[in-house]
Coordinates of all heavy atoms in Angstrom, one line a residue:
A296 N 90.8 -55.6 129.5 CA 91.3 -54.1 129.8 C 90.3 -53.2 129.3 O 90.7 -52.3 128.6 CB 92.6 -54.0 129.3
Q297 N 89.0 -53.3 129.6 CA 88.0 -52.5 128.9 C 87.1 -51.7 129.9 O 86.3 -50.9 129.5 CB 87.0 -53.3 128.0 CG 87.8 -53.7 126.7 CD 88.1 -52.5 125.8 OE1 87.3 -51.6 125.6 NE2 89.4 -52.3 125.5
G298 N 87.5 -51.9 131.2 CA 86.6 -51.1 132.3 C 86.6 -49.7 132.1 O 85.6 -49.0 131.9
A299 N 87.8 -49.0 131.9 CA 87.8 -47.5 131.8 C 87.4 -47.1 130.3 O 86.7 -46.1 130.1 CB 89.3 -47.1 132.0
C300 N 87.6 -47.9 129.2 CA 87.1 -47.6 128.0 C 85.7 -47.6 127.9 O 85.1 -46.7 127.2 CB 87.7 -48.7 127.1 SG 89.6 -48.4 126.8
L301 N 85.1 -48.6 128.6 CA 83.5 -48.7 128.6 C 83.0 -47.4 129.3 O 82.0 -46.9 128.8 CB 83.1 -49.9 129.1 CG 83.1 -51.3 128.3 CD1 82.7 -52.4 129.2 CD2 82.3 -51.2 127.0
A302 N 83.6 -47.1 130.4 CA 83.2 -45.8 131.0 C 83.2 -44.6 130.2 O 82.4 -43.7 130.1 CB 84.0 -45.8 132.4
L303 N 84.4 -44.5 129.4 CA 84.6 -43.4 128.4 C 83.5 -43.5 127.3 O 82.9 -42.3 127.0 CB 86.0 -43.3 127.9 CG 87.0 -43.0 129.0 CD1 88.5 -43.4 128.2 CD2 87.1 -41.5 129.4
E304 N 83.3 -44.5 126.8 CA 82.3 -44.7 125.8 C 80.9 -44.2 126.4 O 80.2 -43.4 125.8 CB 82.2 -46.1 125.3 CG 83.2 -46.6 124.6 CD 83.1 -48.1 124.2 OE1 82.0 -48.6 124.4 OE2 84.1 -48.7 123.7
D305 N 80.5 -44.7 127.6 CA 79.3 -44.3 128.2 C 79.2 -42.7 128.3 O 78.1 -42.2 128.0 CB 79.2 -44.8 129.6 CG 79.0 -46.4 129.7 OD1 78.6 -47.0 128.7 OD2 79.1 -46.9 130.8
A306 N 80.2 -42.2 128.8 CA 80.2 -40.8 129.0 C 79.9 -40.0 127.8 O 79.1 -39.0 127.8 CB 81.6 -40.3 129.6
W307 N 80.5 -40.5 126.7 CA 80.3 -39.6 125.4 C 78.9 -39.9 124.9 O 78.2 -39.0 124.3 CB 81.3 -40.0 124.4 CG 81.2 -39.2 123.2 CD1 80.4 -39.3 122.1 CD2 81.7 -37.8 122.9 NE1 80.5 -38.3 121.3 CE2 81.3 -37.4 121.6 CE3 82.6 -37.1 123.7 CZ2 81.7 -36.1 121.2 CZ3 82.9 -35.8 123.2 CH2 82.5 -35.4 121.9
V308 N 78.5 -41.1 124.8 CA 77.2 -41.6 124.4 C 76.1 -40.8 125.2 O 75.0 -40.3 124.7 CB 77.0 -42.9 124.2 CG1 75.5 -43.3 123.9 CG2 77.9 -43.6 123.2
L309 N 76.2 -40.8 126.5 CA 75.4 -40.1 127.4 C 75.1 -38.6 127.0 O 73.9 -38.2 126.8 CB 75.7 -40.3 128.8 CG 74.9 -39.4 129.8 CD1 73.6 -40.0 130.0 CD2 75.7 -39.4 131.1
A310 N 76.2 -37.9 126.9 CA 76.0 -36.6 126.6 C 75.5 -36.3 125.2 O 74.7 -35.4 125.0 CB 77.6 -35.9 126.6
R311 N 76.0 -37.1 124.3 CA 75.5 -37.0 122.9 C 74.0 -37.3 122.8 O 73.4 -36.7 121.8 CB 76.2 -37.9 121.9 CG 75.9 -37.6 120.5 CD 76.7 -38.6 119.6 NE 76.3 -40.1 119.9 CZ 77.0 -41.1 119.3 NH1 78.0 -40.9 118.5 NH2 76.6 -42.3 119.7
S312 N 73.5 -38.1 123.6 CA 72.1 -38.5 123.6 C 71.2 -37.2 123.7 O 70.0 -37.2 123.3 CB 71.7 -39.5 124.7 OG 72.4 -40.8 124.3
F313 N 71.7 -36.2 124.4 CA 70.9 -35.0 124.7 C 71.0 -34.2 123.4 O 70.0 -33.2 123.4 CB 71.4 -34.2 125.8 CG 71.2 -34.8 127.2 CD1 72.0 -35.8 127.8 CD2 70.0 -34.4 127.9 CE1 71.7 -36.4 128.9 CE2 69.6 -35.0 129.1 CZ 70.5 -35.9 129.6
D314 N 71.7 -34.4 122.5 CA 71.9 -33.7 121.3 C 70.5 -33.9 120.3 O 70.1 -33.0 119.7 CB 73.2 -33.9 120.4 CG 74.4 -33.5 121.1 OD1 74.4 -32.6 122.1 OD2 75.5 -33.9 120.9
S315 N 70.1 -35.1 120.4 CA 69.1 -35.5 119.4 C 67.7 -35.8 120.0 O 66.8 -36.1 119.3 CB 69.5 -36.7 118.8 OG 69.9 -37.8 119.6
Q316 N 67.7 -35.7 121.4 CA 66.3 -36.0 122.0 C 65.7 -34.7 122.6 O 66.3 -33.8 122.8 CB 66.6 -36.9 123.2 CG 67.2 -38.3 122.7 CD 66.4 -39.1 121.8 OE1 65.1 -39.2 121.8 NE2 67.1 -39.7 120.7
S317 N 64.4 -34.9 122.8 CA 63.6 -33.6 123.3 C 63.5 -33.5 124.6 O 63.0 -32.4 125.0 CB 62.2 -33.8 122.7 OG 61.5 -34.9 123.0
G318 N 64.0 -34.3 125.5 CA 63.9 -34.1 126.9 C 64.8 -35.1 127.7 O 65.5 -36.0 127.1
V319 N 64.9 -34.9 129.0 CA 65.8 -35.7 129.9 C 65.4 -37.2 129.8 O 66.3 -38.2 129.6 CB 65.9 -35.2 131.2 CG1 66.7 -36.2 132.1 CG2 66.5 -33.8 131.4
R320 N 64.1 -37.4 129.9 CA 63.7 -38.9 129.9 C 64.0 -39.5 128.5 O 64.5 -40.6 128.5 CB 62.2 -38.8 130.0 CG 61.7 -38.5 131.5 CD 60.2 -38.6 131.6 NE 59.8 -38.1 133.0 CZ 59.6 -36.9 133.4 NH1 59.8 -35.8 132.5 NH2 59.2 -36.5 134.5
Q321 N 63.7 -38.9 127.5 CA 64.0 -39.5 126.3 C 65.6 -39.6 126.0 O 66.0 -40.6 125.4 CB 63.4 -38.4 125.1 CG 61.9 -38.5 125.0 CD 61.4 -37.3 126.0 OE1 62.0 -36.9 126.9 NE2 60.1 -36.9 125.8
A322 N 66.4 -38.6 126.4 CA 67.8 -38.7 126.2 C 68.3 -39.9 127.0 O 69.2 -40.7 126.5 CB 68.4 -37.5 126.7
L323 N 67.8 -40.1 128.3 CA 68.4 -41.1 129.2 C 67.9 -42.6 128.5 O 68.7 -43.5 128.6 CB 67.9 -41.0 130.6 CG 68.6 -39.9 131.3 CD1 68.1 -39.9 132.8 CD2 70.1 -39.7 131.2
A324 N 66.8 -42.8 128.0 CA 66.3 -43.9 127.3 C 67.0 -44.3 126.2 O 67.4 -45.3 126.0 CB 64.7 -43.8 127.0
A325 N 67.4 -43.2 125.4 CA 68.3 -43.4 124.2 C 69.7 -43.9 124.6 O 70.3 -44.8 123.9 CB 68.5 -42.1 123.4
Y326 N 70.2 -43.3 125.7 CA 71.5 -43.7 126.2 C 71.5 -45.2 126.6 O 72.3 -46.0 126.3 CB 71.7 -42.9 127.3 CG 72.9 -43.5 128.3 CD1 74.3 -43.5 128.0 CD2 72.6 -43.7 129.7 CE1 75.1 -44.1 128.7 CE2 73.5 -44.2 130.6 CZ 74.9 -44.4 130.2 OH 75.8 -44.8 130.9
E327 N 70.5 -45.6 127.4 CA 70.4 -46.9 127.8 C 70.3 -47.9 126.7 O 70.9 -48.9 126.6 CB 69.0 -47.2 128.6 CG 68.9 -48.5 129.2 CD 67.7 -48.7 130.1 OE1 66.7 -47.9 129.8 OE2 67.7 -49.4 131.1
S328 N 69.5 -47.6 125.7 CA 69.3 -48.3 124.5 C 70.6 -48.6 123.7 O 71.0 -49.6 123.1 CB 68.2 -47.8 123.6 OG 68.1 -48.6 122.4

Side-chain angles (χ1 to χ4, degrees):
Q297 285 297 304
C300 290
L301 283 178
L303 290 169
E304 292 177 12
D305 286 351
W307 187 267
V308 173
L309 171 72
R311 189 182 61 188
S312 295
F313 286 89
D314 295 341
S315 58
Q316 301 299 318
S317 59
V319 174
R320 292 179 181 83
Q321 293 86 344
L323 294 186
Y326 160 69
E327 178 180 41
S328 177

